[in-house]
Amino acid sequence: MINKIAKDIYMIKIPLPENPLKNLNSYMIRGTERNLLIDTGFNTEICYDALSDGIKETGIDMNNTDIFLTHLHSDHAGLCDRIASPNSKIYMSRVDSQYIKTFFNINYFENLETFFYTLGFSKEEVADNIKNNPIVKYAPPIETEYTEIEDGYTIDLGNRMLKTVLTPGHTPGHMCLYIENEKLLFSGDHIIFDITPNITQWKGFYNALGQYIDSLNTIKNMPVELTFSAHRSPTGNCKERIDELLNHHETRLAEAYNIVKQYPGLSPYDIAAKMTWSIRAKDWKAFPVVQKWFATGEASAHLDYLEDKGEIKSSNIDGQIKYWTIE
Ligand SMILES: [Zn+2]
């Protein structure tokens, strides 16, 4: 199903069944030189059918179309290789593309086993997550070639110029796309209007939450009148949403700090179990392991931030990270 949301811009709604994100908003921009497809969906048949039907409905030919991926996550990148024509460039930030090359090899999750264990997961939960995590299951082929781009890179469609804005946080190299003369922003997963973008800990990417907050301020300082985001309802008031997201993380930081203060010496997994989550599960034990993985990653990102600020400290005790407040 497609919606024309602006002159020569279509939104293609891609369903993400059994996923709390519910749908991916993919965007197709008709240019006079080239067309541009922004984000693609998981590498599954359901997503492929929705995307290819949507593209057909726009009447646009992939032979004249390039693809821009806001970031490396499989619900955005999954279908890029399948939907591309031999003439299509697949743009991705150099940072995320290099991250895939460095870390997302066959042994990615095997290598992460120890990492999960240090966060407090049991061996059984680590094995379950490796098997069921959609980031691995629905990823594009590892050998996909990306056209690596930097912050401020311009994609010229003939009738429109789109400029990349590097917004690290949700992933190490997340990028938004900005059309200056229309004050129009494609915000990807950096700004989502009715759910909070997941911020997690990444190997080799320091203080993800601190970087995310800086990236929210980058966008806050830009003139934006129209925003199109990648999940759920596509648009809303960008500046108000940024303030809500900044407040949300302030509240979460206070919550994490108070848990560490009240229960010194817990692992990120146990701290996550004590935080409040808006997921339909009776209690922490009933969380599907993939959701525990997201929650623990989110807790870790907040703990990293607090540690960077000098409010808490961590220690590795028998292979697991534990936290204490600094009085
Ligand atoms: Zn994402």
Side-chain angles (χ1 to χ4, degrees), residues 21 71 73 75-76 170-171 174 189 231:
L21 296 168
H71 62 291
H73 279 151
D75 51 330
H76 299 255
H170 177 70
T171 64
H174 185 286
D189 279 6
H231 296 288

Side-chain angles (χ1 to χ4, degrees), residues 245-288:
L245 291 167
L246 291 169
N247 287 336
H248 165 86
H249 287 296
E250 280 298 317
T251 311
R252 292 301 252 173
L253 285 164
E255 189 186 13
Y257 180 83
N258 287 329
I259 293 168
V260 177
K261 194 169 180 178
Q262 207 183 335
Y263 305 97
L266 290 188
S267 69
Y269 179 93
D270 289 330
I271 293 166
K274 292 190 183 299
M275 289 173 79
T276 44
W277 303 99
S278 61
I279 149 169
R280 280 193 209 111
K282 177 160 109 274
D283 53 25
W284 178 251
K285 272 199 198 118
F287 270 44

Side-chain angles (χ1 to χ4, degrees), residues 12-63:
I12 308 172
K13 202 169 166 178
I14 317 277
L16 305 173
E18 290 167 43
N19 189 296
L21 296 168
K22 293 199 176 142
N23 65 283
L24 172 87
N25 304 324
S26 171
Y27 296 95
M28 179 66 100
I29 311 175
R30 188 191 299 278
T32 45
E33 299 289 325
R34 301 284 290 169
N35 312 298
L36 189 71
L37 176 70
I38 303 173
D39 291 335
T40 65
F42 280 131
N43 191 1
T44 64
E45 293 318 304
I46 290 174
C47 290
Y48 181 78
D49 290 348
L51 181 63
S52 49
D53 288 354
I55 295 172
K56 212 181 282 165
E57 252 187 88
T58 67
I60 285 173
D61 183 350
M62 284 308 292
N63 275 307

